[in-house]
Amino acid sequence: MGVAHKLFWAAALAMAGGPVGFATAQAQGNTTKPPIVIGQTTSLTGVAAGFAKPVADGLRATVEAANRSGGIGGRPVKLVVLDDGFDPQRAVENASRLIDEGAVALVGPNGAPSTQALTPLARERRVALIGSTQGAPALREFEPTRFYVRASFRDEVNRIVTHLRTLGMQRVAVAYFDNPFGQQGAQMVKEAVQAAGLDFVGPVAISADAAKTQAAAAALSKQAPQVVVLYSLVQPAAEFVRAYRSLGTAQFYTISVASADALHSAIGEASRGIVIAQLFPAPTQTALRLVSSCTAALSAVGIAPISYAHIEGCVIGGVTLEGLRRAKGEVNREALIDALSGATIDLGGFRTVYGPNARNGSTFVELTMANGGGKTAR
């Protein structure tokens, strides 16, 4: 973590006087025009902070880069960030405050619980909810104020199963986190596997209880699947892999909630060979305009190297800024929703497509393999 990065978040927490972070990014030079305010409530602290912080950093860096280039129509963009600690009620309280203080959009909320809690507020106040980092099918039904930039979990599962069929794999299992998120995911995997004409093995439930997860690994190893799809938070998934590899052999695939560095931190070299779904171009693809501009924006605030989560933040920022540029007349909440509703936005190597009744943005999924050192290979 660079010095500028540390100072940013320290200042954010200090300005809030406690656990809520507050940050702004404004144009340099001309400040005579009033800023366009956008707001983010996200998990700067709590169990989801490891993923949410780099997303927030990518968003912030993109806004700051735009401001250095003159902002939107000569107006600076002011980004206000509040910490909700992955608590949906705090997310709603933060969002209400942001809207009351003039935010024309809510950007980059973290996870399904907050997105679900924020949706009625966004609908009531007619404010765009841009770039939620969740992919649950129940929240992917059309909702006029929700604009996604990432593929859904169903897109991920379908991409994995299509790949397995191409490889000639036949016996496919799922190890899922034992909560509604995981249970729904296990059902999706089952449906996709059976639709592809493959044999569904399992499923087994895993949890934060290491003993139960080890027992699940032992039970599944007796069924000898060729592939295990992990639909889980990182730590239980990592514990399952560690336990399973002492008992049997299988190829592991995981949805995008896991990252190579997090898996490596949890189980070291045992993470080698796990296939990870990615929803954005790789940070190493610097020939793409999205990646090169994101890298430069983050470097300007002292952050390097960058990750897939940083790229996601840059995409959220890029889509929001382009919507603001396309807004007709006065830039306000309604104008931004109208501007995005029929927009195809090309960020240079990654596109989001919206329509009158379409808000999912992207179906991009590619598969990478963990190399055991906290990195992935495409």
Side-chain angles (χ1 to χ4, degrees), residues 29-211:
N30 182 8
T31 59
T32 58
K33 294 185 178 181
I36 300 169
V37 180
I38 60 176
Q40 183 184 29
T41 176
T42 191
S43 312
L44 302 183
T45 58
V47 295
F51 170 75
K53 279 185 177 180
V55 173
D57 284 335
L59 169 61
R60 172 177 62 92
T62 300
V63 170
E64 291 187 359
N67 283 335
R68 288 192 295 273
S69 298
I72 303 297
R75 294 178 64 184
V77 178
K78 179 180 179 181
L79 171 65
V80 183
V81 183
L82 301 179
D83 178 25
D84 56 43
F86 204 53
D87 179 338
Q89 182 56 44
R90 283 175 61 188
V92 171
E93 293 168 359
N94 288 347
S96 296
R97 171 182 164 187
L98 291 165
I99 296 169
D100 289 344
E101 293 178 358
V104 299
L106 300 173
V107 294
N110 187 47
S114 291
T115 302
Q116 185 170 27
L118 290 170
T119 294
L121 176 67
R123 185 187 303 128
E124 177 187 350
R125 302 293 296 271
R126 290 293 294 171
V127 58
L129 195 61
I130 302 172
S132 164
T133 61
Q134 77 83 35
L139 288 170
R140 286 302 180 116
E141 296 178 359
F142 175 73
E143 165 58 47
T145 59
R146 281 197 310 243
F147 295 86
Y148 290 103
V149 304
R150 56 160 45 210
S152 70
F153 289 146
R154 191 177 297 279
D155 292 324
E156 296 186 51
V157 167
N158 288 341
R159 177 69 180 88
I160 289 170
V161 172
T162 298
H163 181 68
L164 296 178
R165 184 173 59 183
T166 300
L167 294 178
M169 296 293 188
Q170 189 62 38
R171 293 176 56 76
V172 182
V174 61
Y176 67 93
F177 190 69
D178 195 11
N179 71 352
F181 152 78
Q183 292 157 8
Q184 186 178 60
Q187 183 62 30
M188 276 196 298
V189 174
K190 179 180 180 179
E191 291 170 359
V193 167
Q194 292 178 337
L198 309 181
D199 296 332
F200 183 68
V201 181
V204 294
I206 60 180
S207 69
D209 185 322

Side-chain angles (χ1 to χ4, degrees), residues 204-277:
V204 294
I206 60 180
S207 69
D209 185 322
K212 290 182 179 179
T213 296
Q214 290 165 6
L220 188 61
S221 68
K222 294 176 182 177
Q223 299 185 60
Q226 294 170 292
V227 174
V228 179
V229 178
L230 302 166
Y231 202 103
S232 170
L233 304 177
V234 173
Q235 193 62 43
E239 182 60 38
F240 180 86
V241 171
R242 189 206 310 271
Y244 193 95
R245 285 191 164 161
S246 68
L247 300 166
T249 59
Q251 175 66 58
F252 291 97
Y253 284 68
T254 178
I255 60 172
S256 60
V257 295
S259 64
D261 56 345
L263 288 167
H264 185 260
S265 295
I267 54 175
E269 284 299 301
S271 66
R272 182 181 297 275
I274 297 176
V275 178
I276 304 169

